[in-house]
């Protein structure tokens, strides 16, 4: 996830970040001898200066680790169902690869990383840990440091499945991402405030458990919510169409249905279909695999289609194909049937080298679209999201530990959480497809742009070419302010439409303030 800092981001966000820093520092002075609130407030301060924290969440076997590998473009997350997939794992940028286990009491142990043979990826060995303190200990979480450009500005948190058969395993994700209760905070029994700034929630189907979890993220105690940014991903999208060549079209229809249901309640800002397995395989495409696809492209269509009825059939030694059975099994495991069909089709259509094939497969996997949405919704608003997390955590601490001078800070914290315009934009982005907003399609598209749905640069908000001069941008911004303020005053507009129009007008005014006279 790249960070594309624009003038709008640079001018608007540091104000809220600086004020959040000041409020956290003032609160820490009120707890000189209480270690628990001081530790929580220290974390508030640290997260304002650290990279954005994005958590991958979803039900068991949703494909979180595979998606992580595809976003990073490297094989750094174990995807098999071992003990390491049952604990929260933080992936940070580092100069050299390392994996560290942390116990609940803060003890650490280096984790041995094993790389499997063939198509089997990494495994973190948690069976034999040498803790830096005496006695055996349970593993609370893992921290992975890895040299990867995608982690330079974003820390990715891989979480256990929310529907695990083990309640304790599922609760590890809930404690990280949803606001806790006051009794739990007092007892120090778990994570008291959400540990992530934004969430990518993976869906294979939309059931009651998914809805309940997302509702818990958005509705905490005393009105203190969880992470503000939530993006949905229809994961393993190629499986929706049973691996057919048109599988992602079917997945996109499903994603639109999910989006309508989720965005109607404001639980999710967008829903994107992604074939994570294909995305990762494309990012790590080998020349031997490309050569195999070239050979398969020479097989008559009907003959190859019959061989691709199932992965087991495709790898059978008695099926006569110009690729060895062992390599066919590897292709099926790495690319899936959808990926094999797509790769062969692209070669038949004229792709002639592995680099071009990798780029085409990546594009068709949906991961490029997801990266673009993550950049617009999360990367370009990283400071706002971090400030929201820090202020939410601060409000939680002040609520749970009352009776100090820091109580005087709580009204200001709550005002910031309610009134900061960047937060209002993010909330509105999650509701633009609802039936409640009765605006023509063209106006909805303009409103989406104005509030930063296509990026926060001034020309993107105004729908103008990047080379448009300041005078042209000012004229467009002034027209937008007048239009959306007039829309907000329409006598037939309901409350939600009025609020949305006023938000668009304020966004246009903010853009106007950044342009030179």
């Amino acid at each position: 996830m790249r960070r594309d800092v624009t003038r709008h981001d640079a001018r608007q966000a540091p104000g809220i970040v600086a004020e959040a820093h000041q409020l956290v520092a003032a609160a820490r002075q009120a707890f000189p001898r209480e270690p628990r609130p001081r530790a929580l407030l220290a974390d508030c301060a640290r997260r304002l200066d650290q990279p954005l924290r994005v958590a991958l969440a979803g039900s068991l076997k949703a494909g979180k680790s595979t998606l992580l590998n595809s976003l990073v473009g490297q094989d750094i997350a174990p995807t098999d169902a071992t003990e390491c997939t049952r604990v929260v794992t933080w992936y940070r940028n580092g100069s050299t690869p390392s994996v560290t286990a942390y116990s609940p009491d803060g003890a650490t142990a280096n984790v041995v990383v094993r790389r499997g043979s063939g198509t089997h990826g990494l495994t973190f060995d948690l069976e034999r840990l040498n803790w830096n303190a005496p006695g055996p200990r349970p593993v609370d979480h893992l921290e992975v440091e890895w040299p990867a450009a995608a982690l330079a500005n974003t820390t990715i948190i891989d979480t256990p499945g929310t529907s695990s058969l083990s309640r304790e395993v599922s609760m590890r994700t809930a404690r990280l991402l949803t606001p806790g209760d006051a009794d739990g905070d007092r007892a120090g029994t778990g994570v008291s405030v959400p540990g992530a700034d934004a969430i990518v929630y993976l869906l294979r189907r939309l059931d009651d458990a998914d809805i309940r979890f997302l509702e818990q993220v958005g509705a905490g105690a005393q009105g203190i919510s969880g992470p503000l940014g939530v993006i949905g991903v229809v994961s393993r999208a190629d499986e929706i169409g049973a691996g057919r060549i048109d599988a992602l079209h079917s997945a996109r229809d499903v994603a639109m249905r999910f989006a309508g249901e989720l965005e109607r309640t404001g639980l999710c800002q967008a829903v994107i279909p992604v074939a994570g397995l294909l995305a990762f395989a494309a990012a790590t495409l080998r020349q031997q695999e490309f050569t195999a696809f070239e050979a398969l492209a020479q097989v008559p269509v009907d003959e190859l289609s019959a061989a691709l009825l199932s992965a087991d059939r495709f790898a059978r030694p008695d099926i006569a194909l110009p690729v060895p059975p062992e390599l066919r099994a590897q292709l099926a495991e790495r690319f899936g049937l959808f990926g094999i069909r797509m790769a062969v089709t692209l070669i038949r259509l004229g792709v002639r080298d592995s680099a071009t094939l990798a780029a085409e497969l990546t594009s068709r996997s949906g991961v490029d679209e997801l990266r673009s949405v993550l950049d617009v919704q999360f990367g370009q608003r990283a400071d706002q999201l971090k400030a929201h997390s820090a202020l939410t955590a601060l409000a939680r601490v002040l609520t749970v530990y009352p009776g100090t001078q820091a109580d005087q800070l709580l009204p200001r914290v709550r005002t910031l959480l309610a009134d900061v315009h960047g937060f209002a934009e993010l909330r509105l982005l999650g509701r633009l497809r609802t039936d409640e907003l009765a605006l023509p399609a063209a106006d909805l598209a303009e409103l989406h742009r104005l509030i930063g749905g296509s990026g926060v640069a001034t020309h993107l908000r105004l729908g103008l070419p990047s080379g448009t001069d300041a005078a042209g941008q000012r004229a467009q911004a002034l027209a937008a302010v007048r239009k959306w303020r007039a829309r907000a005053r329409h006598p037939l507009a309901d409350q939600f439409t009025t609020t949305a129009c006023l938000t668009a007008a304020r966004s246009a005014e903010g853009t106007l303030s950044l342009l030179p006279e």
Side-chain angles (χ1 to χ4, degrees):
M1 230 178 296
R2 77 180 191 277
R3 179 81 195 281
D4 183 14
V5 180
T6 65
R7 287 185 62 209
H8 190 281
D9 190 41
R11 284 278 298 274
Q12 184 188 57
I16 185 64
V17 170
E19 185 161 5
H21 261 304
Q22 293 169 1
L23 288 167
V24 171
R28 292 179 73 180
Q29 294 177 5
F31 298 98
R33 297 180 183 84
E34 295 194 50
R36 178 65 174 163
R38 284 189 65 82
L40 292 170
L41 292 170
D43 182 65
C44 289
R46 280 194 301 271
R47 70 193 301 168
L48 287 166
D49 298 323
Q50 292 176 347
L52 186 73
R53 303 174 179 183
V54 176
L56 302 184
S59 62
L60 199 64
K61 297 287 188 181
K64 296 181 290 295
S65 299
T66 299
L67 181 63
L68 190 155
N69 286 334
S70 68
L71 288 172
V72 175
Q74 297 184 49
D75 188 8
I76 68 172
T79 56
D80 53 344
T82 58
E83 181 65 22
C84 59
T85 63
R86 297 164 61 85
V87 298
V88 173
T89 305
W90 296 64
Y91 290 84
R92 308 179 190 273
N93 189 46
S95 56
T96 57
S98 69
V99 182
T100 305
Y102 286 79
S103 69
D105 63 357
T108 62
N110 292 328
V111 177
V112 174
V113 179
R114 306 188 189 281
R115 186 174 292 278
S117 58
T119 59
H120 300 288
L122 298 180
T123 298
F124 298 162
D125 187 356
L126 303 184
E127 296 297 323
R128 293 174 292 277
L129 296 175
N130 294 318
W131 296 100
N132 64 352
R137 282 169 165 74
V139 175
D140 178 72
H141 69 279
L142 302 176
E143 293 202 5
V144 178
E145 290 196 359
W146 208 274
L151 298 175
N153 295 308
T154 305
T155 294
I156 301 179
I157 311 169
D158 195 7
T159 66
T162 56
S163 58
S164 172
L165 294 176
S166 167
R167 184 176 183 276
E168 172 55 31
V169 171
S170 294
M171 285 302 296
R172 291 169 183 167
T173 299
R175 284 195 295 266
L176 178 77
L177 301 180
T178 62
D181 60 76
D183 292 338
D185 293 344
R186 274 295 189 189
T189 57
V191 177
S192 59
V193 290
D197 303 311
I199 298 174
V200 175
Y201 193 83
L202 281 68
L203 302 148
R204 296 190 66 187
R205 58 187 180 277
L206 187 60
D207 55 26
D208 290 342
D210 295 315
I211 296 293
R212 284 196 302 271
F213 183 84
L214 290 170
E215 286 176 342
Q216 289 172 4
V217 168
Q222 292 87 38
I224 300 171
S225 66
L228 187 60
V230 181
I231 299 297
V233 169
V234 179
S235 64
R236 303 172 69 163
D238 50 310
E239 296 178 7
I240 290 175
R244 299 190 310 271
I245 197 70
D246 63 346
L248 282 183
H249 292 292
S250 300
R252 192 166 295 280
D253 291 339
V254 172
M256 289 300 294
R257 188 174 75 249
F258 287 178
E261 295 179 31
L262 289 170
E263 292 171 4
R264 187 171 295 114
T265 58
L267 296 177
C268 214
Q269 292 157 12
V271 181
I272 311 296
V274 177
L277 184 68
L278 177 60
F280 176 60
T284 56
L285 178 67
R286 303 154 187 165
Q287 183 60 41
Q288 179 191 35
E289 294 168 337
F290 176 77
T291 302
F293 288 136
E294 281 190 314
L296 292 171
Q298 304 306 313
V299 177
V301 173
D302 291 344
E303 186 178 331
L304 184 59
S305 296
L308 284 169
L309 289 175
S310 71
D312 289 340
R313 178 179 175 84
F314 179 66
R316 276 170 44 181
D318 60 332
I319 300 293
L321 291 173
V323 175
E326 297 81 6
L327 182 53
R328 279 184 262 152
Q330 176 180 311
L331 293 177
E333 186 171 351
R334 283 203 1 105
F335 291 83
L337 296 181
F338 169 73
I340 294 171
R341 291 188 178 103
M342 181 61 70
V344 169
T345 299
L346 288 168
I347 289 173
R348 285 172 174 164
L349 291 174
V351 170
R352 292 292 176 263
D353 59 81
S354 59
T356 302
L357 180 62
E360 291 287 346
L361 291 175
T362 298
S363 175
R364 284 163 172 77
S365 73
V367 75
D368 283 346
E369 181 182 1
L370 176 60
R371 287 194 180 106
S372 177
V373 170
L374 292 177
D375 176 49
V376 169
Q377 303 282 6
F378 295 168
Q380 295 183 34
R381 298 176 181 270
D383 287 332
Q384 292 174 6
L385 290 168
K386 289 192 293 183
H388 182 272
S389 295
L391 290 169
T392 297
L394 176 56
R396 188 72 176 138
V397 172
L398 297 181
T399 301
V400 171
Y401 296 92
T404 71
Q405 290 185 343
D407 291 350
Q408 302 172 16
L409 304 174
L410 192 54
R412 178 57 181 164
V413 173
R414 285 179 168 157
T415 297
L416 287 173
L417 285 170
D419 293 345
V420 168
H421 184 63
F423 300 162
E425 287 183 334
L426 281 166
R427 294 187 187 100
L428 182 56
L429 280 170
R431 302 189 63 186
L432 284 187
R433 297 182 189 179
T434 72
D435 295 332
E436 298 176 72
L437 197 56
L439 292 173
D443 285 344
L444 279 173
E446 181 183 345
L447 190 149
H448 184 269
R449 281 200 318 271
L450 277 172
I451 65 175
S454 300
V456 297
T458 55
H459 71 280
L460 292 175
R461 288 179 180 267
L462 297 171
L464 297 172
S466 59
T468 305
D469 60 20
Q473 292 191 55
R474 284 187 64 81
Q476 186 78 355
L478 281 168
V481 171
R482 297 189 187 101
K483 170 181 175 176
W484 291 101
R485 289 221 169 269
R487 281 294 178 91
R489 293 192 297 268
H490 195 286
L492 298 181
D494 58 61
Q495 183 59 49
F496 177 55
T497 301
T498 298
T499 300
C501 293
L502 287 173
T503 301
R506 287 189 63 191
S507 295
E509 289 168 347
T511 297
L512 192 61
S513 70
L514 298 177
L515 297 169
E517 296 290 343

